[in-house]
Amino acid sequence: MSTTTGQHLYNPDWLSDEALVNNFVARMDEFTFLRDELARAPLEGNVQHYLLVGLRGSGKTTLLKRLAVAIRSDTDLQNHLIALSFPEELYQVKDLTDFWWASCDALADELDRLKKSKQADQLISRVEQIRVNKPASDAGLKLLQQTCAELRRRPVLLVDNLDLVFRRIEKTGRKPKDPNAAAYWALREALSTTYSPIVIGGSVRLSEPFTDYDKAFYDFFIPKYLGKLSLDQVQKVLNHLAEKQNAPEVKQRLQQRPARVASLYQLTGGNLRALGLIFELLRQGPSSRAVADFERLMDITTPYYKARFEDLSEQAQVVMHALAVCRTSSSLHFGYTAAELARHAGLPTSTVSAQLDILEREGLVEKTAAHGRMQYRISEQLFRLWLQMRSTRRVRQNVIGLTEFLEAMFDLEEIQQQLDDANNASPLSDAKFSLAVAEISGATPLRKGLEARSADCILTHVKEQGGTFNDYIHPGDLPENLTVFSQLREWLQRHGGGGLNSEEQEALLGSPQMNLEQKQHSVAALCQEHGAKEERARIQLLLKAERQRLLRDGLTEEDLNLLFHKRAQGLLLLPYLTPQDVESAELTAKNKTAFKAMIWRLVGAREHIKFASEQMAQEWLEWGLQYARSATSTAWANVAGVMRRSKFHAQAQQALEQAFDREVSSCAWFERGALLSEVDGDVTKAEAAYRKAIELDPDDARPWNGLAILFTEKLNRHEEAESAYRKAIELDPSNAWPWNNLAVLFTEKLNRHEEAELAYRKAIELDPSNAWPWNNLGNVLTDKLNRDEEAESAYRKAIELDPSNTLPWFNLAVLFTKKLNRHEEAESAYRKAIE
């Protein structure tokens, strides 16, 4: 194939013979075989016809063009053959007669190429003269054979899309002829003589005329399959491109990371055209511009992918779409089973299996049973990415494909170098790029900063182009807290800052100008449990955003002013806000209920809120029963979580009963499992509750983490606990707590202390502001690994992060006393712990 990128990817016929030969690096084995067969073909005598079978972009057209060049330039071919090259689509052909006239046109073109203009003109003149008189259907064939006999050359018909030509010649208008297609038998007879043309055709499939026993061309053409390139061939193509495009840095990168070639092989499905398209993006390097380039790649492949997709039946389209976008919690490594696809598509499994068989025969799907069950995937991965990108306008589906694309194309280190570079990409492209990088394997330490950067860019896009934040982000793409912050910032943009000056807004939410490290620190500060100042301002903004909703619902400005201006300074830290505080606001009776329900919802939404007393918890519960009875199961389960974390289990149980009185949610089952685990309830029921939560929401990490804690602390099923922690980590890789809990399991139950150290350090990497993993790391370093100086450093880091926490001071004092003999410092540390 010609691997020149740019305008000739779809039209290799536009290349000069020299350029085509110089760039032909793949399909050499097939070319050599066919060329040698043509060299042995006699000027007169029986010959064999061939059919090249392969997906679009696999190199059929270019191989046919390369054979044409060989026929006109190689001595052992040009002396007895003449190449007839046809356009890829013979739109003018409606029957066999038209096909023979098209062959005469192709012969005239080739005579022009060979500088035999006089013979070409004579041929065209004879065609025009004969066609005027309504000749016999084989007049074009006879003229072709007569002209070639005069030239003493046997014609070689190089016909791309031969199966499409066959479909056209077997019909009269729109009505199919006899199933045995008389035109087929006439064509077979014409190609079976000792002076007939030699045909080498191309097709994306072996259709009925070639495969059915009773059809004319059964065993008449020898098929040559153009399958995926091998890894070696892909490497050769990419190296050739690097040389031709003067891009030694690409060649060097490919050599330094051989696995990248395997990734590109999977990404392109070994498809030559896709390799040519992708090379230019590889040469440009990673940046937000890669998003625009990737979208351009998807755009320019749209005509032929769209045509291929729309050529499928309706059910086949549904199955192909499911193969592209289906996401399951399965551990399968290749693709999806028919049952999984059926559940996603809402079709019977038998229907899906039948369609998969058809799609496999068409070459669009491949399968394997190597992992236990038969699994299927789209054979051409670029087609899969195109379907993902076309499935929705929201960021999420774009990012699924873009993440896989970036993982195949670039190293994380390369991408990281480009993250803060100025470029001309649009804010929305930058947002997609940041989200895609955040999902790349190994990017966990950067995830929070990248997610914050993405939110910044979406807000910039909203400010410049209109719409809302939710128009460009899918629920679950960003952590809940960051989504709330971004929505609040959007509200601030629309309402002149909401009463906060620019410095206050920047301190609270971070600015687009921050670098990645600053963004990570900003997000960590906003999400930490004990950030009183940030929490106060955050809830103020939550109430301000809710204020707008309540105004739309009919709450008066006067009523809201009484609460937001008279009580905001002292009473908006929700752990200390009692029902009486809200009752004291001078709201009108009409609107009090709506506001109370809003406050109640906010209490349940804050994960780290704890009630100061059982009386306060009971009052909030009764308040919700009075004012929020229409709340969802999830809302009641959230409030139950607040009660449980506050250790007021009776109130938690009452809230859970309300949750289970409604359409039961995964969150309700999770809270039931957590409550049963904490109050020494029936551990069997606790496990069943967690598993029910997992069944209802397989993507939620919390029940897996809860299940692992139950296995560890109550059931002594430590291997299952480890598996459950790892599942929680897989589902929520940015959460530090499953790593911390896994480390505790390693230390206290499994005596795997080196692995415990690594797990604690992973938790620290994910949440550098959390003191607990540092304290626990200190314990394992001194108690199990005898690395006392490092333990001291870990304890001091925990103290720096949380000076009010007693445990690190106590543990440091124990270390000074028992291991380091620094008794005066030990006394000081004990006193600090007491203080």
Side-chain angles (χ1 to χ4, degrees):
M1 150 181 182
S2 164
T3 51
T4 300
T5 57
Q7 60 182 343
H8 301 320
L9 284 164
Y10 297 91
N11 297 282
D13 197 34
W14 296 357
L15 290 167
S16 67
D17 287 359
E18 181 182 4
L20 193 143
V21 171
N22 288 338
N23 288 302
F24 191 86
V25 292
R27 306 300 182 197
M28 287 300 300
D29 290 344
E30 293 86 350
F31 166 72
T32 301
F33 171 82
L34 291 170
R35 186 213 167 281
D36 291 347
E37 286 292 290
L38 290 173
R40 287 190 289 270
L43 179 62
E44 184 174 334
N46 294 324
V47 292
Q48 178 62 59
H49 308 286
Y50 292 91
L51 184 67
L52 307 176
V53 183
L55 295 173
R56 290 177 175 87
S58 60
K60 301 185 299 296
T61 303
T62 308
L63 177 54
L64 292 174
K65 302 304 179 187
R66 181 65 184 90
L67 287 169
V69 173
I71 291 169
R72 71 176 64 104
S73 60
D74 292 1
T75 305
D76 58 343
L77 299 177
Q78 65 181 197
N79 60 4
H80 69 294
L81 301 175
I82 188 166
L84 276 59
S85 295
F86 294 78
E88 281 193 61
E89 297 85 11
L90 291 170
Y91 298 120
Q92 75 274 30
V93 172
K94 60 184 181 297
D95 52 31
L96 184 56
T97 300
D98 288 336
F99 176 70
W100 293 126
W101 292 123
S103 300
C104 291
D105 291 339
L107 176 57
D109 279 349
E110 185 63 16
L111 290 171
D112 275 333
R113 279 180 178 270
L114 298 174
K115 310 298 184 184
K116 297 183 178 183
S117 301
K118 183 177 179 180
Q119 292 96 317
D121 292 341
Q122 290 174 348
L123 175 59
I124 294 298
S125 178
R126 292 170 70 183
V127 168
E128 293 174 350
Q129 291 173 2
I130 296 172
R131 295 189 72 172
V132 167
N133 298 318
K134 297 182 179 180
S137 60
D138 62 349
L141 172 62
K142 290 179 178 178
L143 177 59
L144 175 71
Q145 292 174 324
Q146 179 184 345
T147 305
C148 289
E150 293 171 359
L151 294 168
R152 294 195 56 77
R153 300 287 187 274
R154 190 166 194 165
V156 180
L157 278 54
L158 302 167
V159 189
D160 209 350
N161 294 319
L162 187 61
D163 56 330
L164 300 182
V165 173
F166 279 13
R167 279 203 296 236
R168 296 175 80 95
I169 69 174
E170 72 168 329
K171 296 180 180 179
T172 300
R174 293 180 177 270
K175 297 180 180 180
K177 283 190 173 183
D178 186 307
N180 286 317
Y184 287 171
W185 293 102
L187 178 59
R188 174 167 180 150
E189 182 179 353
L191 298 179
S192 300
T193 67
T194 56
Y195 45 85
S196 67
I198 303 170
V199 176
I200 301 178
S203 176
V204 296
R205 64 182 69 84
L206 278 177
S207 53
E208 290 181 1
F210 301 100
T211 59
D212 288 5
Y213 180 78
D214 60 341
K215 294 298 175 64
F217 296 109
Y218 181 77
D219 280 349
F220 189 72
F221 286 84
I222 293 180
K224 297 290 292 182
Y225 292 94
L226 305 185
K228 291 181 178 180
L229 298 181
S230 68
L231 281 174
D232 288 342
Q233 288 173 317
V234 169
Q235 179 75 65
K236 185 176 181 180
V237 168
L238 291 171
N239 285 337
H240 180 83
L241 283 168
E243 292 172 1
K244 292 295 181 181
Q245 298 290 328
N246 192 26
E249 71 284 355
V250 174
K251 189 172 184 178
Q252 183 179 10
R253 287 206 303 257
L254 291 170
Q255 291 173 344
Q256 289 173 345
R257 183 189 158 197
R260 175 178 286 156
V261 178
S263 299
L264 289 171
Y265 175 71
Q266 291 298 325
L267 179 67
T268 62
N271 185 282
L272 280 164
R273 181 180 291 153
L275 276 174
L277 287 165
I278 255 172
F279 175 80
E280 194 63 24
L281 308 188
L282 188 64
R283 185 166 68 93
Q284 291 173 8
S287 73
S288 300
R289 289 185 298 272
V291 180
D293 291 335
F294 179 58
E295 290 175 342
R296 178 171 56 83
L297 171 63
M298 295 295 100
D299 186 55
I300 61 180
T301 56
T302 290
Y304 91 95
Y305 280 142
K306 193 170 188 292
R308 292 173 66 184
F309 191 74
E310 293 180 350
D311 193 40
L312 302 173
S313 69
E314 182 177 329
Q315 286 185 337
Q317 290 178 2
V318 171
V319 173
M320 281 289 284
H321 184 269
L323 280 165
V325 304
C326 182
R327 287 293 181 272
T328 72
S329 57
S330 169
S331 60
L332 302 180
H333 302 291
F334 181 84
Y336 303 100
T337 66
E340 286 175 324
L341 294 168
R343 284 195 297 272
H344 180 91
L347 292 172
T349 302
S350 58
T351 300
V352 171
S353 296
Q355 293 299 325
L356 287 170
D357 288 342
I358 294 171
L359 291 169
E360 186 192 8
R361 289 198 298 271
E362 296 286 332
L364 295 172
V365 167
E366 57 188 357
K367 67 181 181 181
T368 182
H371 302 285
R373 289 177 288 169
M374 187 64 71
Q375 299 162 48
Y376 300 84
R377 70 182 180 192
I378 296 174
S379 55
E380 190 177 340
Q381 298 308 304
L382 207 59
F383 196 178
R384 175 174 58 81
L385 295 182
W386 179 82
L387 284 169
Q388 289 173 354
M389 291 286 284
R390 300 273 294 187
S391 63
T392 176
R393 70 184 179 87
R394 294 197 177 214
V395 172
R396 182 177 180 81
Q397 293 297 335
N398 292 351
V399 170
I400 291 173
L402 183 58
T403 301
E404 296 169 352
F405 172 78
L406 291 172
E407 283 185 323
M409 293 280 283
F410 307 109
D411 281 324
L412 181 61
E413 291 79 6
E414 293 176 310
I415 297 172
Q416 194 171 348
Q417 291 172 4
Q418 299 291 330
L419 281 171
D420 291 315
D421 282 2
N423 58 67
N424 297 321
S426 70
L428 188 58
S429 290
D430 203 343
K432 294 177 185 178
F433 178 71
S434 299
L435 271 182
V437 176
E439 293 302 315
I440 289 175
S441 176
T444 300
L446 302 173
R447 184 159 295 144
K448 286 183 177 179
L450 288 164
E451 289 169 340
R453 171 188 174 127
S454 177
D456 284 340
C457 293
I458 292 173
L459 286 168
T460 301
H461 178 78
V462 168
K463 188 174 182 179
E464 294 176 354
Q465 303 295 330
T468 68
F469 185 83
N470 288 340
D471 288 336
Y472 302 99
I473 200 75
H474 190 282
D477 281 347
L478 294 176
E480 182 180 356
N481 283 343
L482 185 56
T483 300
V484 171
F485 303 152
S486 301
Q487 292 166 340
L488 292 176
R489 183 185 287 145
E490 180 187 0
W491 181 87
L492 289 171
Q493 286 180 180
R494 296 178 185 276
H495 297 87
L500 299 177
N501 63 38
S502 59
E503 291 182 357
E504 289 171 331
Q505 292 180 55
E506 185 169 312
L508 178 68
L509 298 170
S511 73
Q513 288 73 39
M514 288 182 175
N515 62 33
L516 279 177
E517 183 178 355
Q518 290 170 326
K519 288 182 189 299
Q520 291 180 48
H521 184 271
S522 172
V523 173
L526 288 168
C527 295
Q528 67 182 347
E529 290 192 359
H530 304 291
K533 181 179 179 181
E534 292 85 352
E535 177 66 15
R536 183 190 191 94
R538 194 164 41 175
I539 294 174
Q540 286 176 338
L541 286 176
L542 278 168
L543 292 176
K544 288 179 180 180
E546 190 75 16
R547 168 183 181 150
Q548 300 303 306
R549 188 188 69 78
L550 292 172
L551 280 172
R552 292 194 298 271
D553 291 345
L555 200 65
T556 68
E557 186 74 32
E558 181 181 1
D559 286 336
L560 283 168
N561 285 342
L562 286 170
L563 183 87
F564 283 99
H565 291 296
K566 292 175 66 174
R567 311 199 59 81
Q569 294 303 312
L571 296 175
L572 291 183
L573 277 177
L574 289 184
Y576 307 103
L577 181 66
T578 68
Q580 290 75 21
D581 291 322
V582 180
E583 291 284 358
S584 65
E586 299 172 17
L587 300 171
T588 62
K590 173 184 175 183
N591 296 316
K592 216 172 251 191
T593 299
F595 190 78
K596 289 175 179 178
M598 180 269 288
I599 293 291
W600 184 86
R601 287 199 306 276
L602 285 174
V603 170
R606 312 309 300 168
E607 287 189 359
H608 62 274
I609 284 176
K610 295 180 181 179
F611 291 111
S613 67
E614 186 172 5
Q615 180 182 354
M616 180 186 288
Q618 187 64 38
E619 288 175 351
W620 274 110
L621 180 63
E622 293 172 358
W623 208 32
L625 289 171
Q626 183 175 358
Y627 296 114
R629 295 192 65 85
S630 62
T632 64
S633 172
T634 296
W636 276 103
N638 286 337
V639 171
V642 177
M643 306 293 181
R644 174 181 58 80
R645 290 189 294 273
S646 303
K647 305 301 180 185
F648 302 131
H649 297 136
Q651 287 75 20
Q653 181 60 43
Q654 292 178 59
L656 266 182
E657 289 171 1
Q658 293 296 320
F660 278 89
D661 282 344
R662 291 152 175 80
E663 183 176 352
V664 180
S665 63
S666 170
C667 186
W669 281 105
F670 165 71
E671 283 298 336
R672 172 171 282 184
L675 187 59
L676 286 169
S677 298
E678 288 186 16
V679 298
D680 294 323
D682 188 329
V683 292
T684 302
K685 289 183 178 179
E687 179 180 355
Y690 282 136
R691 293 197 183 280
K692 185 64 177 179
I694 291 167
E695 177 187 332
L696 291 175
D697 187 359
D699 296 328
D700 188 356
R702 294 181 304 163
W704 283 105
N705 187 65
L707 193 61
I709 294 172
L710 182 69
F711 287 156
T712 302
E713 298 181 354
K714 302 292 179 68
L715 297 175
N716 293 319
R717 289 155 59 180
H718 301 141
E719 290 183 359
E720 292 176 82
E722 179 180 355
S723 296
Y725 281 133
R726 294 196 182 280
K727 187 64 180 180
I729 289 166
E730 174 191 334
L731 292 172
D732 188 5
S734 62
N735 190 344
W737 282 110
W739 281 106
N740 180 84
N741 298 341
L742 180 61
V744 173
L745 173 69
F746 286 155
T747 301
E748 297 184 359
K749 304 294 184 180
L750 299 178
N751 294 318
R752 290 155 60 180
H753 307 305
E754 290 80 6
E755 291 176 81
E757 178 189 357
L758 294 175
Y760 281 132
R761 293 194 184 280
K762 186 67 177 181
I764 290 166
E765 174 188 314
L766 291 171
D767 189 359
S769 64
N770 191 341
W772 285 106
W774 282 108
N775 177 75
N776 295 343
L777 177 62
N779 290 341
V780 76
L781 287 171
T782 182
D783 294 340
K784 306 299 182 182
L785 300 176
N786 294 314
R787 287 152 57 187
D788 299 328
E789 292 182 358
E790 292 178 68
E792 178 183 353
S793 296
Y795 289 139
R796 292 196 182 280
K797 185 64 178 179
I799 291 166
E800 174 192 333
L801 292 170
D802 189 2
S804 64
N805 192 337
T806 300
L807 276 178
W809 282 111
F810 178 80
N811 291 332
L812 186 61
V814 172
L815 175 64
F816 287 155
T817 303
K818 294 185 175 181
K819 304 289 284 291
L820 300 179
N821 294 318
R822 290 155 59 181
H823 302 301
E824 291 183 0
E825 292 176 86
E827 179 183 358
S828 177
Y830 279 128
R831 291 188 183 280
K832 193 66 178 176
I834 294 168
E835 176 188 330

